[in-house]
Amino acid sequence: HRRFAAAHAAAPACRCTLLRAARIVPEALASREARPLLAALATSPAAAALGALGLAFAAFVKGAIGAGFPVIAAPVVASFVDPQTTIIAVSVPGLAMNLLQISGGDRLVGILRRHLPFLLVAVASTTIGALLVRRLDPDVVRFVLGLVTLGWLALGVFKVSVAITPARERWAAPLLGAVAGVIGGATTIFFPVIAIYLLGVGVERRHFIQAISCIFALLQTIQLGALAVFGAVTGPRLLYALAVSVPCALGFAVGQASQRRLDQVRFMRAVRLLLAATALQLVYRGLAG
């Protein structure tokens, strides 16, 4: 009887919550922020379909090697919406995929302890990067980051040692963490600097995926929190992020299945190829403006 009475008393509150939730979607779609997106989708369904394929491919790469989603997905999303919406729409499904890949391993505590100096500085500087998103010139940031990444890869090609020894790691880890946080917070591009760090210290395939996913998840959480504080996380933007997540879920599932077939050598080769492609794309986008 008491349970029935409690449920009966809570029923009006539940109905109010459902009614309020039912009004969110129409209000969001009718808002001024949603109009450019709806117009773009209505006038170019073929472009929307190609965009969905691009997002599925970005998620496939993420599922296969643990990285690359924002770099591939951000230009696709940016062709439809404004920069702040792009950051949110890429970060939300990206965060979900990172959490799934973190849960796939059993050494999370050890990884957190191993990379703590990098993580602490990166998390703190991500907030700074998110606050600077309107002040930094993204083209200059992309161009410089692309050149630095290509230079680092060139050192490896010419057999110049780029390993981060334990002695170097004491200063290299916080330095690279600061660079990754500021750049990632302002542009959502965390991958190049984090990959350089993890490849430099030398990790095996499963450790790489879990470590980079853990770092991504922490930094994206900070980034989304900072944007929410400043009112950038709105209903239409979250709805768009939800729509983006649909093709991403399909691509990610296929990528996860493909990951199991990669050995250590092929996996690291794929990471370096993605890093090179990312660097070239950043240089091109920086020059093209």
Side-chain angles (χ1 to χ4, degrees), residues 73-131:
V76 175
V77 177
S79 64
F80 292 97
V81 293
D82 62 272
Q84 288 192 357
T85 303
T86 298
I87 292 175
I88 294 166
V90 170
S91 295
V92 170
L95 177 60
M97 289 186 284
N98 285 321
L99 293 174
L100 287 172
Q101 290 190 314
I102 290 171
S103 65
D106 56 356
R107 298 169 297 178
L108 182 57
V109 175
I111 286 175
L112 286 173
R113 188 184 300 114
R114 170 71 176 77
H115 304 294
L116 191 60
F118 181 94
L119 281 169
L120 290 177
V121 179
V123 167
S125 56
T126 297
T127 305
I128 298 173
L131 297 178

Side-chain angles (χ1 to χ4, degrees), residues 130-167:
L131 297 178
L132 293 175
V133 67
R134 295 181 181 179
R135 298 185 181 182
L136 293 177
D137 186 338
D139 294 326
V140 173
V141 174
R142 292 187 189 104
F143 181 74
V144 173
L145 178 60
L147 285 182
V148 171
T149 304
L150 287 173
W152 184 85
L153 288 168
L155 292 176
V157 171
F158 291 104
K159 308 300 181 182
V160 178
S161 177
V162 291
I164 301 176
T165 62

